[in-house]
Amino acid sequence: MSTYLPLAVPLYGPDFAADPGRVYARLRAFGPVAPVEVSPGVSGYLVTDRDAALAVLNDPDVWSKDPRVWESGLPADSPVKPMMGWRPNALFNDGAEHRRYRSVITDSFSRIEPHDLRRQVAETADGLIQDFAGTGEVDLVGQYARPLPLVLFNAMFGMPPEDGPRLVAAMGGLFESEPEHAIKANEDFGRYMDELIALKVRQRGEDLTSWFMDHPAGLAPEELAHQVILTMAAGQEPTTNLISNALSRMLSNPDYYSSLSNGARTARDAIDDVLRHEPPMANYSAHYPRRNMQIGSTWIAADSLVLISYHAANTTPDGYDGGERTDGGAHLAWSSGPHACPVKQPALLIAITAIERLTSHLGDLELAVPRESLQWRPGPFHRALAHLPARFGPITPQKTGVTPWSSSPSSSTPPAATSTESPVSSASAGRRPGSYSPAP
Ligand code: HEM
């Protein structure tokens, strides 16, 4: 049931991408919730107030995550279906079904030791860095922050290293504006998934897919595929944005830049700034009220689309000086309530390690353009840089082995490129550093 809202403010166009703060200020004039359009003709409500957001996120008896009634009013080819259409996974289900799906993901991630994950991220990072280290220039989104989570997931889910580039190309293609590219990417991704699951049916390993399969929840084959896809899809976009948004801050702010050697401000500080002021997922947590509901003075019909703006909620004026919150209170970048991100700690570790690895190998890294002129990708749900061009003094990758670097200015933890100690890292132990080519 897609409601038409005459005053709906579009969230999908270039205006929102260029200056979301101005759009949130306009939305706040409606009260704690405002009418918005997430795609032409697809409207809903956006909660911009922190307390109202927490009330929705933490009251599953009233607010459902199941979109089926709402989406029955959407055209079959609606562009929002991939992000919002129902599937048998943790994100789109409530209650016991949700807990069952979610336990598969949380229990499996809890089997990964942080030091193994850190080593795995370092190996992945080094392989990517090696591909551009000799050139002196890089797009840190396209060549680093975007492929990194996918090359990592390829290994964590138990696919051979040579399949990493396929996954990167297929996932990248899903967001192509040319429909034929997106269709081909979708087919490629389907083939990748079929092969992954067939491989693990034949031979289990110490990897997430095998742990999902053998989890006591007893997922049916279709459910298994959907939890794998959800984990990869939910992990990729926000982790990419967390890494690239944080890097853009670090490389444009002397407090961080000088700290690469002095230790004044750290990658973790940049990440905390991003989580509060520029959350990687800007607006999401689609909910649907089970009955007619009122938020502030706005009545919302049952089964309408209600989204949470983590970004606007984080920056809700605190009422003291009319400006942004000053109390240092918890932000909502990971959401809240039963559907809050279940992989927060691993995701933080991935982002911090990826940033530290890059800045320790390329100690003179700098932005190639001022931060103010960077382009942000349009879209209602994310805060995502289109590109992050940077330059540095080239370094020469060496042959596969102990360390891929001929000069490693401040690296204190050289990569273990052929480590076999970790069950997780063993999945990519044979990866040839430098073998990855970024998607075109
Ligand atoms: C390894 C990386 C990550 C993985 C595998 C992952 C996985 C997931 C999964 C499976 C869910 C659905 C949970 C549920 O419905 O019960 C989820 C939700 C969420 N995640 Fe993550 N995530 C990752 C990184 C991140 C990052 C970096 C952020 C942003 C800082 C983030 C923000 C969120 C938010 C806001 C939700 C709630 C979405 C909603 O309810 O609509 N995640 N994540």
Side-chain angles (χ1 to χ4, degrees):
M1 193 192 58
S2 177
T3 332
Y4 172 66
L5 300 167
L7 296 171
V9 176
L11 295 183
Y12 46 82
D15 290 353
F16 177 64
D19 191 355
R22 201 166 51 194
V23 176
Y24 295 134
R26 192 174 150 203
L27 295 174
R28 286 193 211 288
F30 287 87
V33 62
V36 292
E37 257 193 338
V38 292
S39 169
V42 182
S43 30
Y45 297 88
L46 187 71
V47 178
T48 56
D49 175 78
R50 187 170 186 278
D51 293 341
L54 285 169
V56 171
L57 293 168
N58 288 284
D59 192 354
D61 291 341
V62 171
W63 297 94
S64 169
K65 291 279 288 176
D66 186 335
R68 279 175 285 193
V69 176
W70 172 77
E71 72 174 300
S72 63
L74 288 179
D77 61 350
S78 170
V80 301
K81 281 219 166 178
M83 274 298 271
M84 309 187 75
W86 184 86
R87 282 169 222 120
N89 68 21
L91 193 59
F92 297 113
N93 289 277
D94 299 315
E97 207 56 52
H98 167 246
R99 285 192 292 278
R100 176 171 163 261
Y101 291 143
R102 187 175 163 104
S103 69
V104 174
I105 299 168
T106 49
D107 292 347
S108 300
F109 268 90
S110 73
R111 296 177 67 161
I112 301 173
E113 292 293 340
H115 64 269
D116 285 333
L117 181 59
R118 188 175 292 110
R119 183 166 48 229
Q120 176 80 61
V121 179
E123 287 176 17
T124 306
D126 290 352
L128 293 169
I129 295 166
Q130 193 177 40
D131 283 343
F132 55 77
T135 67
E137 58 185 22
V138 59
D139 170 11
L140 287 171
V141 172
Q143 291 171 263
Y144 193 66
R146 194 178 300 141
L148 187 138
L150 291 171
V151 176
L152 184 68
F153 291 158
N154 182 69
M156 290 173 79
F157 279 93
M159 272 295 249
E162 54 273 19
D163 288 298
R166 274 175 70 197
L167 180 61
V168 175
M171 285 289 236
L174 292 178
F175 298 99
E176 292 262 352
S177 49
E178 297 291 327
E180 59 273 25
H181 289 165
I183 291 167
K184 175 166 182 318
N186 199 31
E187 289 166 0
D188 290 346
F189 183 61
R191 262 192 300 278
Y192 174 93
M193 283 299 302
D194 289 346
E195 287 173 34
L196 167 63
I197 289 176
L199 175 67
K200 295 297 141 187
V201 167
R202 283 198 307 278
Q203 188 184 14
R204 299 286 206 275
E206 291 293 311
D207 53 64
L208 287 170
T209 314
S210 301
W211 297 333
F212 280 22
M213 282 175 161
D214 293 334
H215 191 276
L219 296 180
E222 194 202 1
E223 293 176 316
L224 168 70
H226 278 290
Q227 302 330 300
V228 175
I229 294 169
L230 170 67
T231 309
M232 286 190 181
Q236 199 256 324
E237 173 77 28
T239 306
T240 293
N241 300 344
L242 186 54
I243 295 169
S244 48
N245 294 1
L247 276 170
S248 76
R249 284 173 176 257
M250 291 176 76
L251 299 179
S252 57
N253 181 340
D255 290 349
Y256 289 111
Y257 195 69
S258 60
S259 79
L260 295 184
S261 50
N262 297 341
R265 297 204 78 200
T266 63
R268 178 62 207 242
D269 292 326
I271 282 173
D272 286 343
D273 280 352
V274 169
L275 292 172
R276 180 170 298 279
H277 299 291
E278 205 165 62
M281 296 300 292
N283 311 301
Y284 202 40
S285 280
H287 282 80
Y288 309 86
R290 298 173 199 271
R291 51 185 164 80
N292 295 349
M293 284 297 294
Q294 190 175 11
I295 300 183
S297 58
T298 304
W299 273 100
I300 298 172
D303 299 313
S304 300
L305 168 66
V306 176
L307 294 154
I308 305 296
S309 178
Y310 314 118
H311 190 163
N314 285 357
T315 51
T316 302
D318 62 12
Y320 293 109
D321 62 359
E324 290 188 3
R325 294 179 70 82
T326 54
D327 62 1
H331 60 72
L332 292 184
W334 308 100
S335 189
S336 173
H339 287 266
C341 185
V343 188
K344 176 180 158 184
Q345 292 305 336
L348 274 173
L349 191 152
I350 293 167
I352 291 170
T353 308
I355 292 172
E356 288 178 349
R357 211 66 193 167
L358 182 80
T359 51
S360 68
H361 285 310
L362 307 177
D364 60 350
L365 194 64
E366 61 180 10
L367 287 190
V369 297
R371 187 170 194 262
E372 305 72 58
S373 62
L374 293 171
Q375 300 292 311
W376 298 86
R377 257 176 44 222
F381 305 122
H382 52 239
R383 185 63 179 153
L385 285 164
H387 302 284
L388 186 56
R391 57 183 168 233
F392 53 91
I395 58 174
T396 311
Q398 289 181 329
K399 62 181 169 46
T400 305
V402 186
T403 169
W405 315 107
S406 63
S407 72
S408 176
S410 56
S411 172
S412 55
T413 49
T418 54
S419 165
T420 52
E421 288 168 42
S422 141
V424 173
S425 69
S426 67
S428 71
R431 183 176 193 281
R432 189 166 51 82
S435 62
Y436 168 75
S437 302

